[in-house]
Amino acid sequence: MWKNFINLPQTVTEESKLINSIDKAQRDWRDAESRFNEAVDADLIDQAIYDMLAAKTKYSYLMKLAKEKGLHG
């Protein structure tokens, strides 16, 4: 914590990278769901569905990886 206070660079661990990736995948999934809920054009609906499935798959994969590594949220 004191590293933040004096602006020293923090060591980025594999675990923190994974947690950040999970957070981003979850945001991407929510963003895609929002686009789906707001879309009116058929092509935009299809794109939102594709994005939702991709983000959900990535999120699920990263969560599985975190579980295998013994990370808990």
Side-chain angles (χ1 to χ4, degrees):
M1 179 159 168
W2 59 271
K3 289 181 180 182
N4 288 338
F5 183 69
I6 58 175
N7 292 324
L8 291 176
Q10 292 184 342
T11 304
V12 179
T13 64
E14 289 298 317
E15 288 82 11
S16 65
K17 287 180 184 179
L18 179 56
I19 291 167
N20 289 337
S21 294
I22 290 170
D23 290 342
K24 183 181 181 321
Q26 189 176 40
R27 283 191 310 272
D28 291 346
W29 187 5
R30 281 193 308 252
D31 291 346
E33 284 180 332
S34 292
R35 286 192 308 276
F36 173 78
N37 290 330
E38 296 171 6
V40 292
D41 181 72
D43 290 334
L44 294 177
I45 292 170
D46 288 345
Q47 180 65 45
I49 292 170
Y50 174 83
D51 290 344
M52 277 192 310
L53 291 173
K56 179 182 177 184
T57 301
K58 184 174 184 178
Y59 175 79
S60 297
Y61 167 75
L62 293 171
M63 290 298 291
K64 179 181 173 186
L65 211 60
K67 184 177 180 181
E68 289 172 0
K69 293 180 178 275
L71 297 177
H72 302 285

